[in-house]
Amino acid sequence: MISRLFNFRGGVKPEPHKSESSGTPIEKAPLPKRLVIPLRQSLRSTARCLVEPGQKVLKGEQIGQGEGALGTGVHASTSGTVVEIAPYPMAHASGLETLSVVIAPDGEERWIDRAPFDYRKVSREEALGWLRSCGILGLGGAGFPTHVKLGSGTGIDTLVINGAECEPWITCDDRLMRERAADVLSGAMILRELIGARRVLVGIEDNKPDAIERMRAAASGVGDDVAVVAVPALYPAGGERQLIRVLTGIEIPQGKFGTDFGVQCFNVGTAEAVHRAIQFGEPLLSRIVTLTGNVARPGNYEILLGTQVAELLALVGPKADTDRYIMGGPMMGIELQSLGVPVTATTNCIIAASPALFPPPPPEQPCIRCGECARACPADLQPFELYWFSRAKNFGKAREYHLFDCIECGCCAYVCPSHIPLVDYFRFSKGEIQAREHERTASEQARTRFEFRNFRQEREKAEKAAKLAAKVAETRAKRPEAATAPETAAAPEPAASPEDLKKALVAAALARAKQQKAAVTPKNTDRLSAETQAEIAAIDARREKLTTQDADKTP
Amino acid sequence: MLNSPYIRKPASVQGVMLAVLVALIPALVVYAWQIAAVVLVNLAIATATAMAGEAFVLKLRARPIAPALSDLSAVVTAWLVVLCFPPILPWWATVLGVLIAIVAVKHLYGGLGQNPFNPAMVAYCAMIVAFPALMSQWPPAGQLDFQTQLGLVLGGVRELDGITGATALDTVKTGLRAAGATVETVMAQGSFGLVGGRGWEWLAPAYAAGGAYLLARRVITWHMPAAFLVALAMISGAFWLANPGQFTSPLFHLASGGAMLGAFFIVTDPVSGATTPRGKLIFAAGVALVAYVIRVFGAFPEGIAFAVLLMNICVPLIDMNTQPRVFGYRGDKTR
C-alpha cells in the first residue's frame, strides 16, 4: 500500500540508550501513598473540581469536569478519600503550582460501574463526548484532547499512528506495542472509524524490530488498508509533522493542522487509551512510563496518573551520583524542579541524570556560521541567522526568518560545535514577541474599552433625557385639557440632543403654566374687587416676566 | 538551570579548526619537499605571531585569552596566510601579514565569527598592494637550497633576479603579450611542468586530498568546492575552446596559483562566506568568475584573493535572497 518513504531534511542521531529499559516487560507500579491529580491538564484548560475534601471516591470516578472546548474529564486513579484540594507543583519547566486534588488511596481499588461503550449505536458527537468525559488526550507529549483532534469526521484520508518514539532513552511506546499490539490496533481501528479515514499507517522507527513485528502480526488480520511501516531511526522522526512527512510526503506548516491536509496523527498510547475507554468503559487512569537513566533497575512501569515522582524512585533505585531528574527525553524534556511533580497523561519518561551521563555543556564559544545547525534543522530553518537576530533582539527579522516554525526539537543545539544553547535563544525570542504582542493587544483592548465607555456614557445621557421627555409628554397627554392644546403637537422629539430636550422641556413647562393660568383661574379670586384683581394681574405679569427670563437664562 | 537538550554531540570549534589544520598537512609536505622547506619556518613564525597577536588584542579588549587561543582559529589563519604568501618572503613581511589578518580583519570586527572578510585574503591583498615586488618573488621549484631560503627569510642579501621567477600564471600572462606568442610557445619554456608550474602543480592534488578529508569529516559541504571548480573550468574552458592559442586550458587554471587552495580552504571559510546551500553555489562560482577575469585580463597574476573579498561584500545580499524554503511551505512562492 505504501510505495515509498519520504524524508525530512535534517535530524540527528544521538546515542539511543534504548537497551537500558527496553528489555524488561511492563510492570505495574505499586499503589502510591497518595495521589496528586492536577486539575490543570494542559496550558489550554483547567477542569472544574467536582469533589470536596473528605469525600470518598471510587476508582475511575470523575473528580474534575473539563471546561471549554479543550477540556476533558479528570478522574480518581484509584479509590480512596479526597484529603486536600490545594496547589501542587506541576510538570512544567517553571516549577509553577496548580490546583490539584490529593487522594489518599484506601488500597481497595474499588471501581465505579463500568461497561463497554457501544460507539456504533450512538451519534458521532456522543462517541466523542464519551472520549472527552473519559479524559482521553494525546499521550505523546502535547496532550491535545483526542475528541478535538477527531474533528468533524470528514475529509480525513489517512490516519497515522505514531509509534516512532525517536527520543533517546524512552521505550514506553516500544514496550506497549510489543506487549499490547492488539489493543493498540483495536484503538487505532476505533479512531479510524471515528475520524472517517480510509487507511491507517503505523509508523515505527526501525530500531524497534520486535514492536514492528508484533504490530504487523496484529495488523495482518485487519485489512489491506492498514500498514505498519518501519521508518528510519532519526531524531525527530517521532515529531508529528516529521512522521506525517515521512509516511505521506505531506508537509504541514506550523499553524496548520493535519486535518487541513487530510491526515491526522495519534500516538500509540492514545490508541490504547481509546481502546480501553470504548471496550471497557475505563477512563484514562494510568500510563506507561519509562524510568531510566542513572538507576539500578531501569524499566517501564504502568503508573497511576497522579503518582508523585518521588514515590517512583524506590522502584528503580537511583544511584548515588544522581543530581537531577528529567521528565521526557534528553532532547526536549524538562528538568524537574521538584520531586512532588505527579505523573500525568503526557509523562512518558523520567530520567535520573548524573554529571557522567549528562555532562554540563562546555562553555559557549562564538558562532562561526559553520551551518551545522541549518543542516540538522528538521524545519529547514537557518538557526544561526535566528541566533544573530535573537541576540540583537531584532525580533521582526527573526520572525521573518520563520522563528515560529521552530519546533524546539533541539537538533541545532545538539550539533553546534560552539556549544551555543540555540533553542534557549529561540524560546527567549518567542517569549519576547508573544509578550509584546500581548501588551499591544492589551493596550488596544484598553483603548477600545475606554472609547466604548465614553460612547456608552453619551448614549445613556441621551437615553435618560429622551426618557424624561417622553415621560413629560406622556404626563401631559394624560391631561384632557392639555390634549386639546395646540402646544401638545410641539412635544419634544425623543431623538433630539440633550440640549434641545432641555429647552423643549422648559418650553413645555412654560406652555403648561400659561395654560394653567388661562384654564384654571383660582376660584377664590372670582369675587375680588377690581382693584385687587388689577393688583393680582400686575403680580402675575411680573411673575410671568421673571419666568420668561428664567427660561431664557436656562441654557 | 539547564534547558533541553541535555545532550550534545561531541563537536567543538577546536575540532573543526584542527580538522582544517590536518587537512593542510598533505599540501605542506608537498610544499616543503618539492618547493621550499623554509615554508615550515614561516609556519612557525606565523603561528607564533598569530598567537601573540591574538593574545595581545584579547588583553586590550579585556576578553578571556585562553579559550580564544585554544580554539586554534588563529593558527588556521596563520597557516593560510603562509600558504598564500611567497615562501622566501622576509620574516617581517610574514609577521605583518599575519597581524593584518588577526588584528585588523579579525579583532577589529569583533573577533572570531564576526569578520565580514576572509582574514588571509585581506592580508594577501594588502601586502601585494603595499609590496608588489616582494610579494611577486616566487622561487622556482627545487632550485634554492635550504640555507639560501633561510637566509632570505631571516634577512640576508636579496639577489632576487637570479633566484626568483614569475609564477606560471604570470609567465603566461606576460608571455602572451609578446608579439606572436601563443600558449604553446610560452609554455614550452622550462618553468612549466605537465599542466602548471613545474613542482607547483603537485600542490593541487595535495590540496584536493585535504579537501576530500574535510568533506568526509563534514567540516565543509560539497557546494563551494564544486561550484568553484566547475565554474572555473567552465569559464576557462569556454575561452580555451574559442581560442586555444591565446587562452590556457582549464586544467592549467585548476592546477595553477591558488585554485585548489581556494576551492577547499578559502572560499569554504564559513565566517565570511555565504551560508545557504544555493548561496554557497553562487558565492563560489562568483569567486571563480572574478578570479578568472583578474587572472587573464587584470593587472595581478593571481585573482582569487581579490575575488574572494569582492564576493565577501556580496554575502549578505546572496544569503538574503537564497533563504531555503522552510518546512511546510512547499509551493509557497513568497518564500
Side-chain angles (χ1 to χ4, degrees), chain A residues 8-11 235-236 242 374-381 407 409 411, chain B residues 327:
Chain A
F8 60 91
R9 277 199 289 271
Y235 176 84
Q242 277 65 40
R375 269 173 269 166
C377 180
D380 300 337
L381 300 171
I407 57 171
C409 64
C411 287
Chain B
F327 183 90

Side-chain angles (χ1 to χ4, degrees), chain A residues 162-194:
Chain A
N162 188 345
E165 198 165 55
C166 59
E167 276 243 25
W169 295 98
I170 309 177
T171 56
C172 58
D173 288 352
D174 183 15
R175 285 309 315 185
L176 177 76
M177 288 186 285
R178 282 157 78 169
E179 297 180 35
R180 302 177 194 172
D183 295 354
V184 172
L185 213 72
S186 153
M189 291 305 109
I190 298 165
L191 283 169
R192 171 168 77 165
E193 218 172 311
L194 290 174

Side-chain angles (χ1 to χ4, degrees), chain A residues 507-545:
Chain A
L510 281 175
R512 205 158 56 235
K514 244 184 225 162
Q515 266 178 16
Q516 275 176 351
K517 201 169 64 195
V520 192
T521 314
K523 294 224 165 80
N524 59 347
T525 56
D526 279 1
R527 272 163 286 164
L528 288 177
S529 66
E531 201 181 327
T532 318
Q533 279 190 8
E535 203 179 330
I536 288 169
I539 292 168
D540 277 350
R542 273 207 305 279
R543 190 189 287 150
E544 184 168 356
K545 202 175 162 195

Side-chain angles (χ1 to χ4, degrees), chain A residues 69-376:
Chain A
L70 296 173
T72 50
V74 179
H75 304 81
S77 315
T78 185
S79 58
T81 315
V82 175
V83 291
E84 196 186 4
I85 294 162
Y88 272 83
M90 61 175 182
H92 190 263
S94 63
L96 283 176
E97 298 190 330
T98 188
L99 198 64
S100 308
V101 176
V102 182
I103 295 172
D106 55 15
E108 293 170 23
E109 294 255 48
R110 269 180 297 124
W111 271 94
I112 45 163
D113 292 333
R114 60 192 199 278
F117 182 85
D118 195 344
Y119 65 101
R120 288 197 173 98
K121 275 204 184 134
V122 297
S123 72
R124 228 182 132 265
E125 283 62 41
E126 278 174 86
L128 298 193
W130 175 252
L131 291 180
R132 178 185 184 181
S133 71
C134 283
I136 309 296
L137 37 80
L139 267 62
F144 206 77
T146 300
H147 69 275
V148 179
K149 272 186 108 172
L150 284 169
S152 61
T154 52
I156 300 294
D157 171 72
T158 306
L159 171 68
V160 169
I161 300 294
N162 188 345
E165 198 165 55
C166 59
E167 276 243 25
W169 295 98
I170 309 177
T171 56
C172 58
D173 288 352
D174 183 15
R175 285 309 315 185
L176 177 76
M177 288 186 285
R178 282 157 78 169
E179 297 180 35
R180 302 177 194 172
D183 295 354
V184 172
L185 213 72
S186 153
M189 291 305 109
I190 298 165
L191 283 169
R192 171 168 77 165
E193 218 172 311
L194 290 174
I195 207 167
R198 181 177 60 82
R199 60 171 183 168
V200 180
L201 299 176
V202 185
I204 306 172
E205 274 199 344
D206 57 17
N207 58 6
K208 298 181 248 306
D210 200 24
I212 295 171
E213 198 182 307
R214 300 287 170 97
M215 288 298 288
R216 279 202 176 134
S220 61
V222 182
D224 287 346
D225 44 9
V226 179
V228 177
V229 187
V231 301
L234 178 72
Y235 176 84
E240 186 172 295
R241 283 156 217 272
Q242 277 65 40
L243 186 64
I244 289 173
R245 163 75 190 161
V246 170
L247 292 175
T248 68
I250 297 168
E251 283 187 19
I252 301 163
Q254 292 293 307
K256 289 266 192 324
F257 296 98
T259 44
D260 301 332
F261 294 83
V263 50
Q264 191 59 291
C265 181
F266 294 93
N267 175 265
V268 285
T270 314
E272 198 233 10
V274 166
H275 160 79
R276 284 206 203 182
I278 298 288
Q279 306 295 4
F280 307 114
E282 281 182 20
L284 181 62
L285 302 183
S286 66
R287 68 156 294 145
I288 298 159
V289 181
T290 305
L291 304 179
T292 186
N294 195 39
V295 296
R297 297 173 297 278
N300 290 287
Y301 295 83
E302 178 147 16
I303 294 169
L304 294 179
L305 304 187
T307 309
Q308 286 169 298
V309 172
E311 291 208 42
L312 296 172
L313 299 180
L315 288 174
V316 289
K319 292 175 189 165
D321 59 338
T322 300
D323 59 348
R324 61 211 158 102
Y325 293 90
I326 295 163
M327 190 177 265
M331 295 298 289
M332 292 185 81
I334 54 165
E335 189 181 323
L336 289 181
Q337 304 296 297
S338 145
L339 292 182
V341 163
V343 165
T344 61
T346 56
T347 308
N348 49 11
C349 183
I350 290 158
I351 307 177
S354 69
L357 277 180
F358 301 98
E364 204 174 319
Q365 286 176 288
C367 169
I368 54 170
R369 293 162 47 100
C370 65
E372 274 296 312
C373 50
R375 269 173 269 166

Side-chain angles (χ1 to χ4, degrees), chain A residues 14 241 245 249 251-253 324 326 330-335 337 358 361 365-370 372 375 378-382 384-385 388 400-402 405 410 413-415 417-420 424 427, chain B residues 1-14 16-17 67 70-71 112-114 218-221 269-277 280 315 319-320 323-330 335:
Chain A
R241 283 156 217 272
R245 163 75 190 161
E251 283 187 19
I252 301 163
R324 61 211 158 102
I326 295 163
M331 295 298 289
M332 292 185 81
I334 54 165
E335 189 181 323
Q337 304 296 297
F358 301 98
Q365 286 176 288
C367 169
I368 54 170
R369 293 162 47 100
C370 65
E372 274 296 312
R375 269 173 269 166
D380 300 337
L381 300 171
Q382 301 276 295
F384 61 92
E385 299 273 20
W388 292 113
E400 210 180 287
Y401 276 65
H402 288 258
D405 282 284
Y414 174 78
V415 296
S418 295
H419 317 297
I420 300 168
D424 289 345
R427 288 182 187 127
Chain B
M1 192 184 80
L2 290 170
N3 287 325
S4 62
Y6 304 99
I7 47 176
R8 304 281 165 148
K9 194 177 176 179
S12 64
V13 173
Q14 288 93 318
V16 172
M17 297 297 167
S70 62
D71 69 21
L112 180 62
Q114 311 271 353
R218 285 174 43 96
V219 170
I220 59 173
T221 59
D269 170 30
V271 173
S272 58
T275 51
T276 62
K280 285 176 178 176
V315 161
D319 275 351
M320 207 191 299
Q323 284 297 314
R325 184 187 56 77
V326 170
F327 183 90
Y329 294 82
R330 195 162 27 161
R335 195 44 156 178

Side-chain angles (χ1 to χ4, degrees), chain B residues 93-127:
Chain B
T94 304
V95 168
L96 188 56
V98 170
L99 287 180
I100 289 171
I102 297 289
V103 178
V105 188
K106 184 177 174 188
H107 278 288
L108 291 191
Y109 280 105
L112 180 62
Q114 311 271 353
N115 46 296
F117 298 104
N118 186 311
M121 293 300 100
V122 174
Y124 176 85
C125 291
M127 292 298 285

